[in-house]
Amino acid sequence: MSNNKAKRDAKKAAYAAKKEQEGRNVINWIFGILIALGALYAIYTMYIVS
């Protein structure tokens, strides 16, 4: 019975690690898009001013 609990705990840990990595990937994509939009906005404002 304790072997079954160990397997279940290992699966939970692996699942949590996988979800944490997916969450980090999503955060990185969001920050990347925000930085790209900021750069595009800076270029656009320089174009408008000149």
Side-chain angles (χ1 to χ4, degrees):
M1 186 158 154
S2 68
N3 188 20
N4 206 9
K5 183 178 179 342
K7 281 184 182 180
R8 187 174 41 222
D9 289 344
K11 281 185 180 181
K12 281 184 181 180
Y15 180 78
K18 180 180 174 186
K19 287 298 177 183
E20 182 179 353
Q21 184 59 41
E22 288 176 1
R24 288 179 194 261
N25 287 341
V26 169
I27 296 295
N28 287 339
W29 271 100
I30 290 171
F31 278 121
I33 290 170
L34 287 174
I35 290 169
L37 287 173
L40 287 173
Y41 181 72
I43 293 168
Y44 171 74
T45 55
M46 284 185 208
Y47 175 75
I48 292 298
V49 169
S50 65

